[in-house]
Amino acid sequence: MVLGSGTAFAGMDEAKKWIDAEFQPSTLSKDEQMKEMEWFVNAAKPFAGMEINVVSETITTHEYEAKTLAKAFTEITGIKLTHDLIQEGDVVEKIQTQMQSGRNIYDAWVNDSDLIGTHFRYKQAIPLDDWMAGEGKDVTLPTLDVADFIGRSFTTAPDGKMYQLPDQQFANLYWFRYDWFQRPDIKEKFKAKYGYDLGVPVNWSAYEDIAEFFTNDIKEIDGVKVYGHMDYGKKDPSLGWRFTDAWLSMAGNGDKGIPNGKPVDEWGVRMEGCRPVGSSVDRGGDTNGPAAVYSIAKYLDWLKKYAPPQAAGMTFSESGPVPAQGNIAQQMFWYTAFTADMVKPGLPVMNTDGKPKWRMAPSPHGSYWKEGMKLGYQDAGSWTLLKSTPVERRKAAWLYAQFVTSKSVSLKKSHVGLTFIRDSDIWDKSFTDRAPQLGGLVEFYRSPARVQWTPTGNNIPDYPKMAQLWWQNIGDASSGAKTPQAAMDALAEGQDEVLGRLERAGVQGECGPKLNPKTSAEDWFKKAEASGNVAPQRKLANEKPKGETVDYDTLIKSWPATPPKRS
């Protein structure tokens, strides 16, 4: 081992130092933490001195793992662990390269659960249930407690097996300036104009009214020009996530069903059993249907009318810090991964007592949305093992994956990155105490509403190939090169081409694509109506019903304050 005399005792000395200095708070007692660390020390003995490489995207949680937890793991176990941080698009590209070439690039990957449909069909990822009961049994932590992971349903395929272990999760929520929404003068002015109370918008009509109101009626607050909306629009890969991360579902695209609509999901892909059968409306899909086109039209309209002028030329990473600068009233599409950076002392959006001037709340839904549909996106970056990684390297990397998700370190990691993975962390007293400083994050993750925010599901058979179509086609709408309808027609056709190629290749077995023949939109509208399904929906005569809002404090009080009982 790297440590002192190379004995387990030396590893435990290091473990005690880390427990005392870093791994607090924890849901475990220090004795229980010592027992978990002792298991890691002993399980790692066969791999001492081995150099292992893992990778993830760059967010606060993973920075903590790469800079702190990787060092702790090496000092405690003697396995030399390098945790690389790269952009999300690069993670997808590199894992695709390893899957296609069989060349071992990394020994384990924090890879979005959005790829569950890809992993399940290509059979390049190790089903973790099989791994933990078989080859990896000797390196599987007895106290891992898979049932405690809130995202395990996201990483479970149609065969009932879990393919990925969640490492961090964050949702896409509504963000707003609570302090402005509470001001009597602003509230009175809004109600006088719109006839209902200023509050958390329940539907897109209210969001649009609020965006219009702050941009063009309020205009300035405390001498600062304010905007009623924030977004980004540059034709860039990050524009794809902006939409694949469930924008269409928020509008009401697809069918009812949690975690994803059935038989049509929020990408507009229709399923028959486990087979994707079409994306375009004339094949029974909904990618270019009225609900999808409405969602793109609203995105463009709001970006142009209510966001700062520079927003249209920004990428995801450039737009992220803007609300913290203090001149944005609300943002429909806001990732809770930004929370850690949004609560830093001294920001214009923070009070001197450490509490935020803003809050997060459930996202409003569009006019095509029906009760029972998903309402937004939840990212679940999850540990993934590939068959192309040699078994011994895979075992050593699996030890690290469990180390950074173990109960010994998970609660502290949750406090650093604010990306919960365990129920036990969410309901810990330390988060009850900290909740007032986090603007609704804890309340959301404790709420029953949480289940309506889900990742891309099992329906997408090749996420890397299909996801890149989104930013290219929607980018054409964002730049003005195409109308929303033309852009979504091209996207639907592009997705069908990928499905067709996979069908002809025959590489995905009985759950691979099998395209429906083209008929007509009218034919599929009638079939949906006759079957009692939602998608594809006809165009609504009125896409802007009356605005509806809810009082934030009333909403929060309606959620439970005690954890659900585990079965």
Side-chain angles (χ1 to χ4, degrees):
M1 292 176 76
V2 171
L3 314 168
S5 63
T7 64
F9 179 76
M12 290 310 296
D13 281 350
E14 294 299 324
K16 187 175 188 307
K17 290 177 187 175
W18 279 102
I19 288 169
D20 290 340
E22 184 64 34
F23 302 158
Q24 301 300 324
S26 171
T27 56
L28 301 183
S29 68
K30 286 192 178 181
D31 283 347
E32 289 170 327
Q33 287 180 291
M34 286 294 283
K35 285 178 182 175
E36 271 202 343
M37 291 302 113
E38 185 177 13
W39 181 87
F40 278 109
V41 167
N42 289 326
K45 282 179 181 178
F47 315 103
M50 186 180 283
E51 296 184 9
I52 297 299
N53 301 299
V54 304
V55 69
S56 69
E57 65 173 301
T58 307
I59 63 171
T60 303
T61 298
H62 297 319
E63 288 174 350
Y64 176 66
E65 290 169 341
K67 294 172 184 175
T68 301
L69 296 184
K71 184 173 187 286
F73 179 76
T74 292
E75 292 183 0
I76 291 168
T77 66
I79 297 170
K80 298 175 183 177
L81 195 290
T82 300
H83 185 150
D84 285 347
L85 300 173
I86 60 179
Q87 293 301 308
E88 181 187 357
D90 295 331
V91 175
V92 173
E93 184 180 323
K94 286 180 183 293
I95 198 168
Q96 186 180 25
T97 299
Q98 180 160 332
M99 288 165 63
Q100 290 173 345
S101 69
R103 179 171 58 90
N104 191 53
I105 300 172
Y106 285 103
D107 302 304
W109 307 72
V110 181
N111 174 227
D112 278 1
S113 73
D114 296 331
L115 276 83
I116 182 67
T118 308
H119 293 320
F120 160 64
R121 290 180 177 85
Y122 278 120
K123 308 300 182 189
Q124 296 294 314
I126 302 286
L128 294 180
D129 292 321
D130 294 349
W131 169 255
M132 291 186 287
E135 275 186 314
K137 187 175 182 178
D138 59 329
V139 287
T140 294
L141 179 65
T143 52
L144 184 60
D145 191 6
V146 171
D148 193 35
F149 285 77
I150 62 173
R152 65 192 184 282
S153 64
F154 304 153
T155 61
T156 299
D159 60 6
K161 295 177 181 179
M162 186 175 77
Y163 280 72
Q164 300 168 281
L165 183 73
D167 179 88
Q168 48 82 5
Q169 284 181 225
F170 55 90
N172 213 325
L173 298 181
Y174 171 75
W175 179 97
F176 71 107
R177 283 296 296 270
Y178 177 80
D179 57 336
W180 294 351
F181 279 49
Q182 292 297 106
R183 280 177 49 166
D185 57 329
I186 292 177
K187 290 169 74 172
E188 288 169 16
K189 194 172 182 180
F190 182 87
K191 187 159 188 180
K193 180 173 182 179
Y194 294 101
Y196 61 94
D197 291 330
L198 177 61
V200 174
V202 173
N203 58 13
W204 282 16
S205 299
Y207 184 85
E208 186 170 87
D209 288 347
I210 295 167
E212 165 74 28
F213 175 71
F214 276 99
T215 306
N216 296 322
D217 291 287
I218 298 301
K219 296 181 183 176
E220 281 190 9
I221 294 178
D222 301 329
V224 176
K225 167 68 177 162
V226 300
Y227 295 91
H229 174 62
M230 181 60 202
D231 213 325
Y232 62 98
K234 186 174 181 179
K235 191 173 182 179
D236 167 88
S238 68
L239 189 64
W241 317 328
R242 166 70 183 76
F243 291 92
T244 58
D245 289 3
W247 181 246
L248 275 64
S249 74
M250 295 162 70
N253 184 258
D255 270 301
K256 297 177 183 180
I258 300 295
N260 304 92
K262 291 182 178 181
V264 181
D265 74 356
E266 70 274 12
W267 282 40
V269 174
R270 175 174 286 272
M271 301 293 285
E272 287 180 9
C274 63
R275 282 192 185 276
V277 296
S279 179
S280 57
V281 173
D282 54 14
R283 296 186 194 272
D286 205 13
T287 307
N288 59 333
V293 174
Y294 156 82
S295 78
I296 304 302
K298 286 296 180 188
Y299 155 74
L300 295 172
D301 194 38
W302 295 342
L303 183 64
K304 182 179 179 181
K305 289 181 178 177
Y306 309 125
Q310 64 270 29
M314 286 183 165
T315 63
F316 166 78
S317 57
E318 291 165 346
S319 69
V322 173
Q325 294 167 9
N327 66 337
I328 305 297
Q330 59 171 0
Q331 183 167 337
M332 166 86 80
F333 191 87
W334 184 81
Y335 289 98
T336 62
F338 294 136
T339 309
D341 292 326
M342 192 72 86
V343 296
K344 290 178 177 175
L347 287 174
V349 294
M350 290 296 290
N351 290 309
T352 53
D353 63 359
K355 293 180 181 177
K357 297 176 181 178
W358 53 266
R359 299 288 186 273
M360 63 184 83
S363 317
H365 56 72
S367 56
Y368 288 84
W369 189 87
K370 305 284 190 297
E371 197 67 46
M373 289 182 172
K374 69 182 284 182
L375 192 47
Y377 174 80
Q378 193 163 178
D379 187 288
S382 306
W383 286 104
T384 308
L385 304 176
L386 297 183
K387 291 179 179 177
S388 49
T389 301
V391 173
E392 293 304 293
R393 300 188 66 81
R394 201 189 302 155
K395 285 185 172 184
W398 176 238
L399 286 172
Y400 176 68
Q402 295 172 98
F403 180 83
V404 299
T405 57
S406 68
K407 289 184 178 179
S408 285
V409 304
S410 178
L411 181 59
K412 172 61 183 289
K413 188 176 86 169
S414 295
H415 275 287
V416 173
L418 300 174
T419 56
F420 300 109
I421 54 170
R422 288 183 175 272
D423 247 331
S424 55
D425 295 337
I426 293 167
W427 289 97
D428 189 77
K429 184 181 180 298
S430 63
F431 273 112
T432 301
D433 295 341
R434 195 180 173 194
Q437 280 76 46
L438 298 178
L441 179 70
V442 175
E443 290 85 349
F444 172 78
Y445 268 97
R446 289 179 174 181
S447 81
R450 172 183 93 202
V451 301
Q452 290 181 285
W453 278 256
T454 68
T456 303
N458 287 300
N459 297 5
I460 307 306
D462 195 321
Y463 182 92
K465 285 190 177 73
M466 293 175 73
Q468 66 185 4
L469 299 171
W470 286 65
W471 71 269
Q472 294 162 354
N473 287 292
I474 294 173
D476 287 341
S478 182
S479 69
K482 287 182 180 176
T483 65
Q485 183 70 64
M488 298 313 279
D489 286 345
L491 175 57
E493 185 178 345
Q495 290 198 150
D496 281 345
E497 286 176 2
V498 173
L499 297 179
R501 286 200 300 272
L502 290 172
E503 179 182 358
R504 291 189 295 275
V507 294
Q508 294 191 334
E510 62 184 14
C511 288
K514 188 177 178 65
L515 278 177
N516 281 334
K518 281 190 175 185
T519 57
S520 68
E522 181 61 26
D523 180 44
W524 283 101
F525 291 145
K526 287 179 178 176
K527 284 181 180 178
E529 289 159 2
S531 65
N533 292 322
V534 177
Q537 291 185 67
R538 297 180 188 274
K539 183 175 173 62
L540 294 173
N542 176 22
E543 291 184 332
K544 194 182 178 191
K546 183 175 172 58
E548 184 184 347
T549 58
V550 63
D551 177 68
Y552 176 79
D553 295 303
T554 304
L555 173 70
I556 294 298
K557 287 173 186 172
S558 73
W559 287 341
T562 54
K565 291 181 180 178
R566 280 174 59 172
S567 55

